[in-house]
Amino acid sequence: MTARPLAAVGRPHRLDVLIAGGGLLGGVLLWTMNLHGGPARLGLPPSLTLVALGAMSVAELLRRTAPMAALALAVPALALDITTGTLVATVLMFTDVVYAAVLYGPAAAARRIPLHSVLVTVVTAVALTALWQNPQVVTAVIGVALLTVAPAWTGLIIRNHRDAAESARLRAEQIALLAERDRTQAVAGERARMARELHDMVANHLSAIAIHATAAQSIDDPSATREALEVIRENSVQGLAEMRRLIGLLRDPKATEGAQEPAATPTLDGLDALLGQARAHGGSSGLSFVLDDARRPGGTDGPRPTAPAELAAYRIVQESLTNALKHAAPGEVRVRLAHERGGALTVTVRSPFADRPGPRVPGTGTGLVGMRERTALLGGAFEAGPVSGPAGRVWLVRAALPAAEEEEQR
């Protein structure tokens, strides 16, 4: 354990300067008033008491910036003070240096100095008892303990409390950082969820509007134009209603509890109406839509999917039908629902594959991304792409949603 070089020692703390200055002035005052412990011993001149006082004052200046160097200077200064008269100011400053060495010194020194102080006290007690057969040995040993053990263990206790407080502060900062990170991730996740929900709700209606508007422009038939405008109006109203429902949920989720028109979450029971809309929109493009519910008779006797799984299945079918209206070749679009072993709900949508340079109407390009994210959030599996089948190439969308739960026993 080595002390820091003087070049590495910074400026003394202001409090240390006050302590050193106060101790030096007090010691000089006591010496001039001849208030010291007694005559000098070992034939040393009494004036060396002032030298010990000055050295101890220098050690006090270093108590915070170089505590181990201060202790190394204070020990011989105390020895010199005891042999030349013993000023109380020098002794008090020594106890402060021991305290500071434990409090501000290295961790290893903070562990060793209290133990060494106890050892010094015990050795002193044994030596005085053996050499000086006098009841005043007890007083002397108590004095040594007050000089070494008391300041050392006081510094250790305060240092432990300080380290515990610092650890608690660091833990609080780490918890705050983790909370902020969780909040940021939650906000990002909520934004992604909002984007998926908004896309899935509105894209279907906007695609139908674009397809019928294109047909109304290209066909010079008043009845066909009126029919297209009626479809456009219907999809516009439905899109606005769903947009209003989502905005109401985002602004105040509790507001819908007492509303006259509660915002119901779409379920698989609404697939018939969804396919009915797709038939109305895709008839002019040569598309037919078929629902094959192979879960169980009526689709209600099997395990009931959870609300998140049912919503995800509905949105996947909705987005698949929207993509079929945009991209599919004339033919049959088949939607199939089934239960796998273990209760997983599978959604499969097959549509005729059309190898064309672009869609009938432009889109956002995020439909497959949203379907994949919905499936991943439930821990399911998703695949989409062209496959070869008996009737030629088809575009296959398949999602397995392992989120079924047993029906409650009544």
Side-chain angles (χ1 to χ4, degrees), residues 128-129 132 134-144:
L128 290 178
T129 302
W132 190 22
N134 193 299
Q136 294 185 359
V137 170
V138 177
T139 304
V141 172
I142 293 175
V144 174

Side-chain angles (χ1 to χ4, degrees), residues 115-132:
L115 298 178
H116 290 170
S117 66
V118 174
L119 180 62
V120 169
T121 303
V122 172
V123 171
T124 302
V126 172
L128 290 178
T129 302
L131 298 176
W132 190 22

Side-chain angles (χ1 to χ4, degrees), residues 134-270:
N134 193 299
Q136 294 185 359
V137 170
V138 177
T139 304
V141 172
I142 293 175
V144 174
L146 292 176
L147 288 177
T148 57
V149 177
W153 285 91
T154 301
L156 181 62
I157 293 172
I158 294 178
R159 179 178 182 130
N160 289 337
H161 282 289
R162 186 191 65 179
D163 292 344
E166 181 67 16
S167 299
R169 185 185 65 82
L170 292 177
R171 284 196 300 270
E173 291 181 355
Q174 291 174 354
I175 292 173
L177 290 175
L178 291 176
E180 179 63 21
R181 184 179 300 176
D182 291 342
R183 188 194 68 82
T184 302
Q185 292 177 351
V187 170
E190 185 65 16
R191 291 180 62 183
R193 187 192 68 80
M194 290 166 53
R196 286 192 302 269
E197 195 71 14
L198 185 62
H199 175 274
D200 293 343
M201 284 196 310
V202 179
N204 181 270
H205 297 294
L206 292 182
S207 298
I209 290 172
I211 291 173
H212 285 274
T214 302
Q217 289 179 335
S218 59
I219 299 177
D220 188 12
D221 184 355
S223 61
T225 301
R226 284 194 300 271
E227 181 180 353
L229 291 177
E230 182 64 25
V231 173
I232 290 174
R233 179 186 179 280
E234 178 183 352
N235 280 273
S236 299
V237 171
Q238 293 178 357
L240 289 174
E242 293 189 3
M243 178 79 75
R244 184 168 56 251
R245 181 181 70 86
L246 179 60
I247 292 176
L249 288 174
L250 294 176
R251 295 183 64 179
D252 187 4
K254 298 180 179 180
T256 58
E257 295 179 359
Q260 295 180 353
E261 297 180 0
T265 302
T267 64
L268 295 178
D269 296 335

